[in-house]
Amino acid sequence: MPTELTSDTGSHPGHAPGDETEQEPVTQDAGAEAEDQPLPENAVERFIAEHVQPRRHEFRSAEQLPSAAQLLGTALARRRIEVKKIVEGRWAFYFAGTVIGGLSHGLTTLVSAHARRVLGDAEALRGHLKLMDIPCAEEGAELSGLQLRGFVVGRELVSMLALIPPYEYDDAVGGPEAVRLLDSTAADSGAGQPQVIAVDVTELVSEYISSLAVDAVRAVPGLFAAGVDLEVFSLESLRSAVVLDVDENADLLPHHVPTLGPGRDVADAIAEQILISAAL
């Protein structure tokens, strides 16, 4: 994976510190909401009808996009953090002449070695989540709800996207409609063949769902920035919500330029967290 921070090459600067500071116990207050109403019959169709189709004219069209590496490089430069290449695939971050972090094969020092080991083993990740009483999907579980993809940096949810497969969108609006996705994960599909429609819902999700995403990252020691995939049946409720995955390699680009809605500056949050972690 190319990781040139100042070029047009597409890389996925990961996230999470090498700081192994012991973390606080994670708790979930899932009972804080009233859960009397039944689940919607189809969470995806309801979301499309309420939040996507009425704003179809606002969809972004295809355009020249920066790489994730460029986004991170720009955010570091704004903080006067100098990037120096050490060897192929490895960079060091300097602030006022002192090394404060780095990047190795797409992952920043916001991802510790222990966190990489946990996230590389799906069963180990589920074990960490269950230990903290965080609801998570079992392997092979069939998904029927709305999929969300959050990005957590430090102890804050910076961005949350709802992911809509194009075929589900077509079904919901009663026929095929050309939609081009500004999502680097769709690159392998070819032009005009998006894998998912990314809709920013950062300000729509309840604090309970935001906390679920943050808690999922907190459950992995040494992890201070990562993507979190969730399945929910409502943007306001935790009922039946589960964590699907925690991804230290999650792409920044869809959060900066979603198909619909404002972009969120995840790269800026990562650069700021690198400075904070260095000061601890």
Side-chain angles (χ1 to χ4, degrees), residues 15-18 102 108-112 153 222-225 269-271 273-274 277:
H15 353 296
T108 71
T109 42
L110 294 179
V111 183
S112 70
V153 180
L223 185 62
F224 291 81
I270 290 172
Q273 185 63 40
I274 288 171
S277 297

Side-chain angles (χ1 to χ4, degrees), residues 53-107:
Q53 184 57 14
R55 300 171 60 199
R56 173 63 184 86
H57 62 285
E58 298 177 30
F59 276 26
R60 285 185 172 88
S61 59
E63 60 187 63
Q64 185 65 36
L65 300 176
S67 69
Q70 286 176 313
L71 292 172
L72 181 58
T74 299
L76 292 170
R78 283 199 296 263
R79 287 166 172 74
R80 301 180 183 274
I81 298 175
E82 185 179 3
V83 178
K84 292 184 179 180
K85 187 173 183 178
I86 306 303
V87 295
E88 188 63 35
R90 294 177 182 269
W91 285 262
F93 300 157
Y94 288 82
F95 183 74
T98 301
V99 177
I100 62 168
L103 183 79
S104 177
H105 301 291
L107 293 178

Side-chain angles (χ1 to χ4, degrees), residues 147-167:
Q147 186 176 347
L148 303 182
R149 177 165 297 167
F151 209 109
V152 174
V153 180
R155 296 297 175 253
E156 178 183 355
L157 176 71
V158 179
S159 174
M160 182 71 83
L161 303 174
L163 305 181
I164 311 295
Y167 68 85

Side-chain angles (χ1 to χ4, degrees), residues 1-159:
M1 168 190 322
T3 51
E4 196 62 58
L5 288 179
T6 57
S7 75
D8 289 335
T9 53
S11 99
H12 305 284
H15 353 296
D19 184 350
E20 296 285 357
T21 305
E22 185 177 352
Q23 302 180 19
E24 303 172 8
V26 180
T27 59
Q28 277 291 326
D29 186 11
E33 304 166 283
E35 303 292 0
D36 297 331
Q37 71 279 14
L39 292 175
E41 292 184 6
N42 190 310
V44 177
E45 288 186 2
R46 182 175 181 179
F47 176 81
I48 292 172
E50 293 179 352
H51 300 288
V52 182
Q53 184 57 14
R55 300 171 60 199
R56 173 63 184 86
H57 62 285
E58 298 177 30
F59 276 26
R60 285 185 172 88
S61 59
E63 60 187 63
Q64 185 65 36
L65 300 176
S67 69
Q70 286 176 313
L71 292 172
L72 181 58
T74 299
L76 292 170
R78 283 199 296 263
R79 287 166 172 74
R80 301 180 183 274
I81 298 175
E82 185 179 3
V83 178
K84 292 184 179 180
K85 187 173 183 178
I86 306 303
V87 295
E88 188 63 35
R90 294 177 182 269
W91 285 262
F93 300 157
Y94 288 82
F95 183 74
T98 301
V99 177
I100 62 168
L103 183 79
S104 177
H105 301 291
L107 293 178
T108 71
T109 42
L110 294 179
V111 183
S112 70
H114 176 71
R116 291 196 299 271
R117 286 191 292 270
V118 171
L119 297 177
D121 183 337
E123 191 58 39
L125 173 59
R126 282 194 293 270
H128 278 68
L129 295 173
K130 290 178 179 179
L131 183 65
M132 297 301 179
D133 294 324
I134 297 173
C136 57
E138 295 298 333
E139 184 176 5
E142 183 176 348
L143 305 182
S144 58
L146 176 66
Q147 186 176 347
L148 303 182
R149 177 165 297 167
F151 209 109
V152 174
V153 180
R155 296 297 175 253
E156 178 183 355
L157 176 71
V158 179
S159 174

Side-chain angles (χ1 to χ4, degrees), residues 25 34 60 84 110 172 181 204 212 252 257:
R60 285 185 172 88
K84 292 184 179 180
L110 294 179
L181 171 69
L204 296 178
L212 178 62
L252 310 185
V257 280

